[in-house]
Amino acid sequence: MLSLDPLGPECDSPLGSKDLEEEEGPWGGGSGLPPPGCFYGSWRHDVALDCKGSPEGAEARAWTVYYYSLLQSCLQQAGLPETQDRTQVPRTGCPGAEVTLCILGSPSTFLSLLLEGGVQSPGNMLLCLSPAWLTKVPAPGQPGEAALLVSKAVSFHPGGLTFLDDFVPPRRATYFLAGLGLGPGRGREAAELARDLTCPTGASAELARLLEDRLLTRRLLAQQGDVVVPATLAFTYKPPALLRGGDASPGLRLVELNGKEGQETLVKEEVGAFLHSEALGDALQVAVKLSGWRWRGRQAMRLYPRAELGPVVDTVLALLEKLEEEESVLVEAVCPPARLPFPGSPPPGPELALRICAVVCRTQGDRPLLSKVVCSVGRGDRPLRHQSSLPRTLEAALAQCGLGEASQVAVVRQRVKAAAEAALAAVLTLEAGLSAEQRGGRQVRTDFLGVDFALSVAGRALTPVALELNGGLCLEACGALEGLWAAPRPGLAAEEAAAAPLVETMLRRSARYLMEGKQLLVLGAGRVSKKFVWEAARDYGLKLHLVESDPNHFASQLVQTFIHFDITEHRRDEENARVLAELVRARGLQLDGCFSYWDDCLVLTALLCQELGLPCNPPAAMHLAKQKSHTQLHLLCRHGPPWPAPSLYAVPCCPLESEADVDSAVRQVPLPGVMKLEFGAGAVGVRLVEDASQCHEHFSRITRDLQGEADRPGIGLGWGNAMLLMEFIEGTEHDVDLVLFGGRLLAAFVSDNGPTRLPGFTETAACMPTGLAPEQEAQLVQAAFRCCLGCGLLDGVFNVELKLTRAGPRLIEINPRMGGFYLRDWIQELYGVDLLLAAAMVACGLRPALPAHPRARGHLVGVMCLVSQHLQALSSTASRETLQALHDQGLLRLNLLEEALVPGEYEEPYCSVACAGPSPTEARLRLLGLCQGLGIDGPHYPVAYFLSHFK
């Protein structure tokens, strides 16, 4: 959260200096200079901290030097190397085409975030130690908004490596977060830098004014988030619009004042009633404090016994004189320490109090996610504050207080999680109702929140009570706890960074920013299963132009330009690419990229990109991956080095174009084998064959039934109906979805498939993330990656189907496009990564903004529904309307793959039905129960068997 410079003089408290509680501010003093340095360590001080063209005054320079020394001290204590000065050789980069995550704030506050950013997006997480290192420039075509340029910063890299860099030309920020503790004067500069930016922004002065008002946020949490807050009596002077009217909040009493003088009688009556009210519960003390963003970091706070009416009234009256408009004086219950069961004899010494700090982040779909909980323990008769107590895990803190039972600790953690996530949800709801001006800019959003809780007892249950919202300090506390694991020691496991989900959100928002307004040509609209493309394009601000054979396709009305062109005859792809290139030029389309997610159009897309000079894989590589026998035979010849070579993953096979080829193939390929269409898709026509007679029979059936595109659209018959015979491989089947850029692997997602209904190979069930051991998962990823490289596929999103045998992974086939069916949806749901957006970025020549190590936020287990097996259920108990209603209620996840219930011998799945869960077992059991209730499970389609691989 952004901290602003307090306006007006220091609080001249009538309570005396001993009663001034320095709340969670970094320095708190009134001096314009940083605190005296108290850093011990040896690091270079002759580094180039000045920014050319932006000289700093003596005071500003002192702050920059201070923060640089603070950074070195933080790195030293974390066991990380000193920052290296590379300013003599400025970085050039690609302005406007690279992710730039910029933090302006205290290194100690954001160290956890900076280090995690260095891992997830190496070299793109930048720390600015001075506002002078940044410049705002007007954004062309966006009146009132500005781009943020970075001229100097400390860049973060894996292993905790840091470099002081100059950027010539300056890098354009794709995400900006201004933090707490920038010292007097710097708060205003940071606020101005954050206002009305074109890039995504994680904090603003306007939001800080709202979120740092204790009364406003307390009422917000109680009303919208249903979060327990301390009983509070508030005397508010000319309250802001957000506090006026509305429903009463449990335990909150607001008294609106039009003046600050002559309120003695009212104050005495209200305080007296409050101190005797049942809302205070078992509280023995009350605190009197000020509320309003102006007082953040230097508040007067005094504790009183609940029975002392006179001193409480006197203090309230004294503080009323200090109020300005929209500020308040609060009288609040001090939550008594929870009396936890202590093993053995009573504990010696004073009762212990517990303060819980939770960091919660906004994730995919604006959903809050608790990322870490940190606690502090102290004497029950003294307030616990940030930076004055040692951080520890929830488990250790509860054990210290006498609660060590694992099940009880899990209940407390779950309640903290629910309350923290509800708090962020309430804040996001508030923001959704604010205008861009009220938020401080069109791109301003709260992406993370720190929530401080006390643990108290309500209704004989341990209950977290939300005290305040505190972003930077909670993040700093989590970083301090993570610092215990910074230097590896025996017996200590690595901790996941609290900032991990936040970095993923920063990258996701950066990707949107980089792609907004990009012009892309799409070849082939696909069927109903690809409907999400047009919805996502609108959401991302992409400008799509479509080439499609069907003049009446629904997508023709959803794009910027529609070009009706017959692209079904793929043996004329080279000629069609030249014609399409002329059509594009004739229409004056200024394209940033061109791509396809439809199997039939992949080679044509590569040829067209070649004609237009747009980024793409070579047409030869796409054709090699598209023709299944050529893929295997090519890889069989790739013996390396480097080792392991792609040939280790390839499977012997023979192409089949005539009956004579079948006789030859059965002598070369061990049987049983698998026969499939050379250019097929969706497992249509794929069959297990046991002997030569079955091979001839299946070949004859396919050549008779599937002769061209009209016989079964969308499965590759525009390339012809040639077949192949390959060896049948025993093992479990898996999909690996890869993102490659410049031949480098950026991300990989592994899913498990259930057993198929032999002799067919239509998919039955799936699970994500994989249940395999890490080593086996890594083997599959490397196999998929090396096979793609072996075929010359260096850039794009690819789906690779493999089997894991006792001897390791074996390749089934490469689909040189985004994974089909449910895969894009599941990956986005679990990992927050959109393969469609990644494919669009690659098509524009941009490196996809992806976390280096995406983490799944749960498990999905799904089953396919087939018209041939489920026609009755899909027409009644599991109708499309029923499934959609269950999807909307969050009880299942539906992916519709076909539009109509048309049975046929050569079919693809009609839909995928999945259930989520915190574990694969829970997700599997939920799905099994659902399938039994809907009539999807049955003797002829045993769902339990299909899910048996996922136990």
Side-chain angles (χ1 to χ4, degrees):
M1 301 302 148
L2 189 67
S3 179
L4 303 179
D5 294 322
L7 302 177
E10 285 288 334
C11 174
D12 184 16
S13 173
L15 309 177
S17 60
K18 67 188 178 75
D19 301 310
L20 276 172
E21 289 285 345
E22 280 297 342
E23 287 236 335
E24 284 74 28
W27 323 127
S31 170
L33 293 172
C38 55
F39 307 120
Y40 300 99
S42 57
W43 51 78
R44 295 176 61 93
H45 295 274
D46 58 337
V47 291
L49 296 178
D50 292 323
C51 189
K52 296 176 183 177
S54 300
E56 292 183 300
E59 184 179 304
R61 167 74 180 179
W63 277 101
T64 304
V65 171
Y66 170 83
Y67 280 124
Y68 183 79
S69 295
L70 177 58
L71 172 62
Q72 302 315 306
S73 180
C74 290
L75 294 173
Q76 173 185 272
Q77 293 184 35
L80 300 173
E82 176 184 349
T83 300
Q84 300 299 305
D85 187 348
R86 300 194 301 191
T87 55
Q88 291 186 346
V89 183
R91 308 291 106 183
T92 53
C94 306
E98 58 191 347
V99 169
T100 301
L101 312 176
C102 179
I103 306 295
L104 175 63
S106 167
S108 61
T109 299
F110 290 108
L111 186 65
S112 171
L113 174 61
L114 294 163
L115 293 173
E116 180 67 15
V119 172
Q120 298 288 4
S121 189
N124 296 324
M125 178 62 82
L126 306 181
L127 171 65
C128 288
L129 300 174
S130 168
W133 295 6
L134 296 158
T135 309
K136 285 176 76 172
V137 296
Q142 295 173 287
E145 294 188 346
L148 187 65
L149 303 182
V150 186
S151 299
K152 180 188 284 286
V154 177
S155 61
F156 283 72
H157 299 258
L161 296 178
T162 56
F163 300 93
L164 181 63
D165 289 323
D166 282 338
F167 303 105
V168 180
R171 289 181 69 156
R172 189 180 75 178
T174 61
Y175 186 96
F176 181 59
L177 177 63
L180 286 164
L182 291 175
R186 292 200 164 192
R188 287 193 183 88
E189 291 181 74
E192 183 52 42
L193 284 171
R195 184 173 291 115
D196 293 322
L197 294 177
T198 58
C199 71
T201 309
S204 71
E206 288 74 8
L207 285 185
R209 285 181 181 236
L210 299 178
L211 300 182
E212 293 186 358
D213 185 327
R214 236 194 212 95
L215 177 58
L216 176 62
T217 55
R218 195 164 284 182
R219 181 174 177 180
L220 175 71
L221 299 189
Q223 283 188 339
Q224 295 188 19
D226 197 24
V227 178
V228 178
V229 298
T232 304
L233 170 65
F235 296 95
T236 176
Y237 177 55
K238 295 183 179 179
L242 290 171
L243 277 175
R244 295 187 200 127
D247 298 331
S249 304
L252 292 183
R253 166 76 176 154
L254 271 65
V255 180
E256 296 186 16
L257 304 176
N258 292 321
K260 295 182 287 183
E261 299 178 356
Q263 304 291 346
E264 291 83 359
T265 302
L266 175 63
V267 169
K268 186 173 182 178
E269 290 177 354
E270 291 287 349
V271 171
F274 177 71
L275 294 180
H276 290 90
S277 70
E278 295 181 359
L280 271 69
D282 297 331
L284 301 177
Q285 291 181 304
V286 293
V288 184
K289 59 181 67 172
L290 290 157
S291 174
W293 69 271
R294 190 168 66 102
W295 300 102
R296 185 68 161 182
R298 50 184 186 128
Q299 285 197 13
M301 185 183 80
R302 185 81 183 257
L303 298 178
Y304 294 99
R306 179 176 173 177
E308 294 187 6
L309 172 62
V312 175
V313 171
D314 292 341
T315 303
V316 171
L317 291 172
L319 290 178
L320 284 179
E321 299 177 7
K322 306 300 176 184
L323 293 188
E324 293 186 359
E325 292 185 8
E326 302 188 353
E327 297 179 344
S328 308
V329 177
L330 305 184
V331 183
E332 66 179 45
V334 175
C335 297
R339 291 174 174 82
L340 302 178
F342 202 92
S345 59
E351 193 172 31
L352 295 178
L354 184 67
R355 180 154 172 161
I356 300 172
C357 167
V359 172
V360 58
C361 301
R362 183 168 70 92
T363 62
Q364 173 69 32
D366 290 342
R367 285 173 296 188
L369 175 71
L370 178 72
S371 64
K372 181 153 291 190
V373 176
V374 175
C375 298
S376 55
V377 177
R379 292 171 54 126
D381 57 350
R382 297 177 183 176
L384 283 171
R385 296 185 292 115
H386 281 284
Q387 301 175 331
S388 64
S389 54
L390 297 174
R392 61 192 72 190
T393 64
L394 178 65
E395 290 75 12
L398 289 174
Q400 184 73 26
C401 295
L403 189 69
E405 175 63 40
S407 61
Q408 294 177 317
V409 173
V411 169
V412 173
R413 178 176 289 278
Q414 181 55 40
R415 289 173 181 164
V416 171
K417 173 180 170 66
E421 292 178 352
L424 180 55
V427 169
L428 297 181
T429 300
L430 171 68
E431 290 181 7
L434 302 177
S435 66
E437 183 179 3
Q438 289 173 312
R439 293 196 312 272
R442 176 176 58 90
Q443 292 273 35
V444 177
R445 297 288 187 279
T446 295
D447 288 327
F448 82 104
L449 202 63
V451 189
D452 282 321
F453 296 98
L455 190 63
S456 190
V457 176
R460 303 192 66 182
L462 287 175
T463 302
V465 180
L467 302 176
E468 61 184 340
L469 306 183
N470 222 332
L473 286 159
C474 284
L475 191 64
E476 184 174 39
C478 291
L481 182 65
E482 290 162 11
L484 298 175
W485 284 266
R489 294 179 177 86
L492 286 180
E495 279 278 291
E496 181 180 351
L502 175 56
V503 172
E504 293 171 13
T505 296
M506 296 165 78
L507 289 170
R508 189 161 46 246
R509 293 188 67 188
S510 291
R512 283 174 167 265
Y513 175 60
L514 288 170
M515 290 299 291
E516 188 177 6
K518 286 285 191 283
Q519 307 273 344
L520 288 117
L521 185 67
V522 178
L523 271 65
R527 298 198 293 266
V528 66
S529 63
K530 298 299 185 285
K531 188 177 180 180
F532 66 82
V533 171
W534 320 107
E535 298 166 354
R538 182 174 62 251
D539 183 38
Y540 292 136
L542 303 178
K543 309 297 183 184
L544 297 188
H545 310 270
L546 175 63
V547 178
E548 167 59 35
S549 304
D550 179 4
N552 300 314
H553 197 287
F554 72 88
S556 64
Q557 305 300 313
L558 304 176
V559 292
Q560 305 292 311
T561 306
F562 179 71
I563 300 175
H564 175 225
F565 189 88
D566 184 5
I567 51 177
T568 59
E569 182 47 70
H570 297 291
R571 283 166 287 203
R572 300 176 57 186
D573 274 351
E574 291 190 13
E575 177 188 343
N576 288 341
R578 290 190 291 269
V579 174
L580 280 172
E582 289 304 318
L583 286 174
V584 168
R585 296 187 187 104
R587 291 183 179 235
L589 300 183
Q590 301 297 313
L591 300 176
D592 296 295
C594 171
F595 77 116
S596 179
Y597 46 79
W598 198 239
D599 268 301
D600 284 7
C601 300
L602 300 174
V603 176
L604 175 60
T605 300
L607 291 165
L608 180 56
C609 287
Q610 193 175 62
E611 290 286 336
L612 296 173
L614 295 172
C616 192
N617 288 293
M622 297 297 280
H623 196 284
L624 182 62
K626 179 62 185 167
Q627 191 165 1
K628 296 175 174 53
S629 66
H630 284 200
T631 305
Q632 299 283 5
L633 296 174
H634 173 80
L635 292 177
L636 281 169
C637 299
R638 301 284 300 223
H639 298 293
W643 184 86
S647 59
L648 295 176
Y649 309 118
V651 178
C653 66
C654 284
L656 308 174
E657 295 186 2
S658 67
E659 288 280 356
D661 292 333
V662 176
D663 291 325
S664 174
V666 296
R667 291 192 294 268
Q668 300 178 52
V669 176
L671 297 178
V674 178
M675 290 185 70
K676 60 172 70 175
L677 286 165
E678 186 76 84
F679 299 96
V684 175
V686 183
R687 189 173 184 84
L688 179 71
V689 286
E690 303 278 358
D691 51 38
S693 64
Q694 289 187 6
C695 292
H696 281 285
E697 181 183 348
H698 190 56
F699 184 85
S700 299
R701 184 186 304 114
I702 293 296
T703 54
R704 180 187 68 242
D705 296 345
L706 301 176
Q707 297 184 15
E709 185 72 13
D711 295 320
R712 190 67 172 84
I715 64 163
L717 293 174
W719 293 89
N721 64 349
M723 301 189 72
L724 74 149
L725 174 66
M726 64 185 298
E727 183 181 345
F728 175 67
I729 303 298
E730 292 280 1
T732 56
E733 190 171 335
H734 306 270
D735 279 63
V736 182
D737 289 272
L738 305 172
V739 182
L740 273 62
F741 188 76
R744 296 189 179 276
L745 178 63
L746 302 188
F749 308 93
V750 181
S751 56
D752 304 336
N753 292 338
T756 60
R757 299 169 62 241
L758 297 176
F761 287 89
T762 302
E763 187 172 327
T764 58
C767 175
M768 181 181 280
T770 177
L772 294 173
E775 180 182 337
Q776 294 174 310
E777 180 182 12
Q779 287 177 345
L780 285 171
V781 170
Q782 279 301 307
F785 178 42
R786 290 169 186 266
C787 287
C788 286
L789 293 183
C791 290
L793 299 173
L794 305 180
D795 298 277
V797 177
F798 308 118
N799 170 257
V800 184
E801 299 176 28
L802 302 120
K803 274 198 169 182
L804 185 60
T805 72
R806 293 181 179 179
R810 293 294 183 269
L811 176 67
I812 299 174
E813 62 189 44
I814 298 174
N815 299 304
R817 41 79 181 157
M818 176 178 65
F821 291 169
Y822 50 83
L823 284 168
R824 180 258 182 183
D825 176 57
W826 283 21
I827 290 168
Q828 186 174 29
E829 172 69 13
L830 292 175
Y831 296 92
V833 172
D834 190 350
L835 294 184
L836 175 65
L837 185 60
M841 293 189 77
V842 173
C844 293
L846 300 178
R847 180 188 175 99
L850 301 178
H853 307 289
R855 300 170 177 87
R857 309 295 178 190
H859 297 263
L860 280 168
V861 177
V863 66
M864 294 293 195
C865 295
L866 306 175
V867 175
S868 64
Q869 303 299 314
H870 300 113
L871 181 58
Q872 182 177 351
L874 293 172
S875 304
S876 55
T877 53
S879 67
R880 180 172 174 178
E881 293 74 20
T882 299
L883 295 177
Q884 186 62 54
L886 292 171
H887 173 93
D888 295 339
Q889 295 170 40
L891 298 176
L892 61 76
R893 193 155 198 90
L894 173 66
N895 281 276
L896 197 64
L897 310 177
E898 293 286 353
E899 190 76 53
L901 293 171
V902 180
E905 182 179 358
Y906 304 102
E907 67 175 343
E908 294 180 84
Y910 171 76
C911 68
S912 165
V913 174
C915 284
S919 69
T921 298
E922 190 164 335
R924 179 174 55 83
L925 293 176
R926 286 178 184 174
L927 179 63
L928 183 57
L930 198 72
C931 288
Q932 290 169 347
L934 293 172
I936 295 171
D937 180 39
H940 300 291
Y941 202 81
V943 172
Y945 168 67
F946 298 143
L947 303 182
S948 61
H949 282 197
F950 311 143
K951 288 185 178 180

